[in-house]
Amino acid sequence: MRKVKKTTRKICLYAVSVLVILIFLVPIYWVFITSFKHTEDMFVYPPQWYIVSGTLEHYKKVLFETLMPIGFRNSFIISASAVVIAGFLSVLAAYGFSRYRFKANKPLMVFLLVTKMLPPVC
């Protein structure tokens, strides 16, 4: 009797998990397949959950007829620069913390650890 209850609970938990995953993945799937549809096929009723005839015209338009590639390039430059600068400063700080002992060493290490554990505020 007890084992049946446990099995039923597991089945319900898996069913709810699958349902939640589907709720999150269906919109991503929809956006993905819609990006390959022809413009007139996007607004068909009832909606088609698969691609009848695919096209890459939307990707071609975004990549060659807009300023999107420039935005991608600029974002890459900024993020790569931020990673390099943060990495360099972090290595210097880590070396200072590991090599030299000073009064605020322990409190600063705890402060850094606690701030990493807190969620970011947007």
Side-chain angles (χ1 to χ4, degrees):
M1 184 69 166
R2 190 168 174 93
K3 191 168 185 156
V4 172
K5 241 183 189 178
K6 199 172 186 179
T7 306
T8 306
R9 183 180 290 177
K10 273 188 173 182
I11 290 172
C12 289
L13 181 66
Y14 287 135
V16 168
S17 298
V18 167
L19 183 67
V20 168
I21 288 170
L22 283 176
I23 287 171
F24 283 101
L25 289 182
V26 165
I28 294 170
Y29 170 76
W30 184 255
V31 168
F32 180 73
I33 65 161
T34 303
S35 72
F36 290 105
K37 290 180 180 179
H38 290 283
T39 307
E40 57 273 359
D41 292 338
M42 290 182 191
F43 305 106
V44 188
Y45 186 79
Q48 297 172 340
W49 288 92
Y50 52 89
I51 301 170
V52 177
S53 63
T55 181
L56 294 173
E57 79 177 66
H58 302 295
Y59 288 98
K60 184 176 127 185
K61 185 174 185 177
V62 167
L63 290 175
F64 299 115
E65 298 175 18
T66 66
L67 299 176
M68 188 71 75
I70 295 171
F72 282 142
R73 185 197 65 208
N74 291 344
S75 295
F76 176 77
I77 290 170
I78 296 296
S79 59
S81 302
V83 165
V84 168
I85 292 169
F88 178 72
L89 293 176
S90 298
V91 166
L92 291 178
Y95 180 77
F97 274 114
S98 68
R99 187 78 172 155
Y100 303 109
R101 303 285 173 225
F102 49 94
K103 285 184 182 181
N105 193 358
K106 206 63 145 181
L108 277 174
M109 289 299 286
V110 170
F111 174 74
L112 289 172
L113 180 65
V114 168
T115 56
K116 284 291 185 188
M117 293 166 51
L118 294 174
V121 179
C122 296

